[in-house]
Amino acid sequence: MTAIDAPQLRSRIEWQIGRVQAIVAETSRVKSIVLQPTRWPGHRPGQHVDIRLTADGGYRAERSYSIASPPAEHLITLTVERIEDGEVSSYLLDELQIGDPLEFRGPIGGHFIWNQAANRPLCLVAGGSGITPLMAMLRHRRASRDPIPASLIYSVRSLDDIIYRDELDAMTDGDADLRLVYALTRACPGNWSGHRGRIDQLLLAESSFAREENPLFFVCGPTGFVESISSKLVKLGFDPLAIKTERFGPSGE
Amino acid sequence: MDQPVVSRGFRSKRRTSGAAELPPGQYLTTDFPVLSAGPTPDIRVADWNISLQLGGTLLGRWTWDEFEALPQTTIKTDIHCVTKWTKLKTVWQGVTFDDLLRVVGLDAPPNAFIMAHCDGGYTTNLPLADLIGGRAMIATRYEGLPLAPAHGGPARLLVPHLYFWKSAKWLRRLRFMPKDEPGFWESRGYHNYGDPWREQRYDGD
């Protein structure tokens, strides 16, 4: 192969050691881990990192976690949900302490990323911990001087399972261009005036945008959830190429 | 990084029963996770066809029934997804790339690279050397049943020795290329070749 034919070589995304700066309990099953990276080139909302754990005997495990923090922050926030029998999530939730090192590399991913300059209404649809990369988008949007219209439709089992609930509710205060809809699939308080049950086509139609507004969709959650939402959006007539998806499991972790 | 950082308190919950050796960074799963960049397309086999293209020439095009009539091969293989799951001993049926070349009367591949084009706009690039010699097929059945849409049905590429994004779902066209060009994920930060045993996940690995 001649030099002219040689593919452009880009530098490897190297492993590095982050220090745990803070651990925040989000729900009974979810914590956020705030990391101080050694070096960080900056990320785009929606990207993820890989983390790598090494046991005493050399056994290693790697997993991917979406970044919840916006690009403007120099600390990186990962949000971790407990997976039954998950060796990595149980370590991160039960063993990891403030000050501990955590090996990771990133940022990774070039598709499920939001480019604010696209200047199209943003419709985010989250199932459970699928909110994480979408939160990076909302936090990034909040920091902009002239935020574009956005909508978050967030499906969780119960009110107590809503991750970032206070921050999300605060975001909508004084921001008429941000719509926030919770869908509670299992347990609703008696006085619940929001959506009960799974996200259906009607809720998607009412809570997103008109086709003419040319919205961009980001859908993240468990596989069945993403399959269901994305096919409903296509049935509603939205452009399949405007629907970006990221699926979390089920994968036995 | 030469000196691994031991994660204090981290212990494996796996490897209890002489598990098969996995590529670095992979873990075993028994279910079949779905990873796609967008919605699953709704493809009816009555409207489906698949073609093999060299430059401006169509070397072959097959309807569903015609494709089903081509020589069929069944293989059992492990598959490795870049998102880190590995699934062992999966069984696939389809038409090997060798048979496809034979059917269109080619003794040897005319170009060194191929681009796979799929419904939904997805593409992936592969060296021909990785497709011939029984290393790859166009699969239409998984575990004896028609391939489910979420897993790439009606037909997907199967190149099991590379990370699974190379086994493109919803395959519609294979285009020979004299020079390598990056496909969809290969243009978005993922490795151009994707060998799981060398952990070529991302660009530069």
Side-chain angles (χ1 to χ4, degrees):
Chain A
M1 186 176 275
T2 65
I4 293 165
D5 286 332
Q8 187 192 346
L9 289 177
R10 273 162 284 191
S11 58
R12 182 181 149 88
I13 305 169
E14 297 290 351
W15 291 101
Q16 59 169 299
I17 303 297
R19 285 280 157 193
V20 178
Q21 294 284 308
I23 297 175
V24 181
E26 302 281 5
T27 73
S28 62
R29 298 168 46 81
V30 176
K31 287 180 182 174
S32 287
I33 294 165
V34 183
L35 281 182
Q36 169 78 61
T38 310
R39 56 188 178 278
W40 191 246
H43 65 277
R44 294 195 277 171
Q47 287 189 299
H48 70 271
V49 299
D50 280 3
I51 69 152
R52 181 163 75 178
L53 304 181
T54 305
D56 237 343
Y59 171 77
R60 275 181 165 167
E62 291 181 26
R63 296 291 186 278
S64 297
Y65 285 97
S66 292
I67 302 168
S69 44
E73 282 179 19
H74 65 284
L75 297 174
I76 300 158
T77 302
L78 310 178
T79 298
V80 179
E81 180 182 31
R82 186 178 300 281
I83 309 283
E84 293 316 317
D85 292 327
E87 58 184 3
V88 173
S89 68
S90 66
Y91 170 81
L92 295 174
L93 294 173
D94 302 334
E95 304 287 341
L96 192 70
Q97 307 284 325
I98 291 172
D100 279 352
L102 185 64
E103 196 175 16
F104 78 104
R105 65 173 181 155
I108 294 159
H111 173 66
F112 195 82
I113 48 178
W114 177 46
N115 177 9
Q116 192 160 264
N119 204 25
R120 294 163 66 175
L122 183 64
C123 185
L124 311 176
V125 190
S129 62
I131 185 69
T132 304
L134 310 183
M135 194 62 182
M137 298 177 193
L138 287 173
R139 285 167 166 165
H140 186 52
R141 174 188 173 277
R142 179 181 54 191
S144 85
R145 217 170 291 165
D146 185 19
I148 58 155
S151 167
L152 170 67
I153 310 168
Y154 184 7
S155 169
V156 281
R157 291 176 192 171
S158 72
L159 272 185
D160 290 340
D161 291 309
I162 298 175
I163 306 169
Y164 321 121
R165 185 177 172 198
D166 291 345
E167 186 179 346
L168 285 170
D169 289 343
M171 263 186 195
T172 57
D173 286 346
D175 184 349
D177 284 328
L178 176 63
R179 206 162 4 162
L180 176 58
V181 178
Y182 298 122
L184 304 185
T185 59
R186 300 249 177 108
C188 297
N191 60 351
W192 179 245
S193 59
H195 186 81
R196 291 166 186 256
R198 295 183 173 197
I199 297 173
D200 53 29
Q201 206 156 310
L202 183 63
L203 183 68
L204 281 175
E206 288 174 348
S207 309
S208 57
F209 295 90
R211 267 174 292 176
E212 298 70 38
E213 296 175 90
N214 206 17
L216 278 177
F217 290 90
F218 290 85
V219 184
C220 187
T223 293
F225 175 84
V226 171
E227 284 293 311
S228 154
I229 299 296
S230 56
S231 72
K232 287 182 173 75
L233 290 172
V234 172
K235 278 186 193 132
L236 285 168
F238 292 108
D239 176 7
L241 294 177
I243 304 167
K244 296 190 177 189
T245 61
E246 186 135 288
R247 295 158 166 90
F248 286 0
S251 62
E253 199 190 11
Chain B
M1 191 155 300
D2 299 318
Q3 285 295 314
V5 176
V6 171
S7 318
R8 184 177 44 78
F10 173 61
R11 286 169 304 277
S12 171
K13 290 188 178 179
R14 306 178 194 282
R15 292 211 159 174
T16 46
S17 59
E21 198 188 333
L22 302 179
Q26 295 293 107
Y27 62 90
L28 271 184
T29 185
T30 50
D31 59 15
F32 195 169
V34 170
L35 276 299
S36 318
T40 296
D42 182 16
I43 309 164
R44 288 177 300 175
V45 292
D47 306 326
W48 181 91
N49 59 54
I50 192 162
S51 52
L52 184 62
Q53 180 191 351
L54 173 63
T57 309
L58 210 53
L59 298 175
R61 172 182 276 170
W62 299 267
T63 65
W64 179 253
D65 288 342
E66 289 164 350
F67 196 73
E68 289 273 276
L70 298 181
Q72 298 285 313
T73 302
T74 300
I75 63 163
K76 184 185 275 191
T77 184
D78 303 341
I79 55 177
H80 313 287
C81 179
V82 72
T83 62
K84 306 188 181 61
W85 54 264
T86 284
K87 191 170 170 59
L88 302 178
K89 299 188 173 84
T90 57
V91 178
W92 302 83
Q93 183 191 316
V95 179
T96 64
F97 201 75
D98 305 294
D99 279 332
L100 205 64
L101 290 182
R102 264 193 286 277
V103 166
V104 298
L106 289 174
D107 297 331
N111 284 156
F113 300 96
I114 215 157
M115 186 71 83
H117 295 262
C118 305
D119 275 319
Y122 183 77
T123 57
T124 192
N125 56 313
L126 289 144
L128 253 296
D130 288 88
L131 298 178
I132 58 177
R135 306 183 86 191
M137 66 161 54
I138 297 158
T140 52
R141 280 177 182 72
Y142 171 70
E143 304 290 347
L145 296 171
L147 196 52
H151 290 303
R156 76 181 297 164
L157 204 54
L158 180 70
V159 194
H161 64 284
L162 299 179
Y163 279 126
F164 214 44
W165 88 77
K166 292 285 185 181
S167 295
K169 295 175 182 180
W170 312 308
L171 184 65
R172 291 299 292 273
R173 183 161 57 99
L174 291 166
R175 176 172 62 89
F176 285 107
M177 302 189 293
K179 278 189 187 175
D180 199 10
E181 296 167 24
F184 182 90
W185 289 117
E186 296 83 1
S187 310
R188 289 166 175 79
Y190 286 77
H191 197 271
N192 192 57
Y193 182 64
D195 180 352
W197 296 97
R198 288 186 277 166
E199 204 168 4
Q200 294 173 335
R201 296 182 196 277
Y202 312 119
D203 210 357
D205 277 355

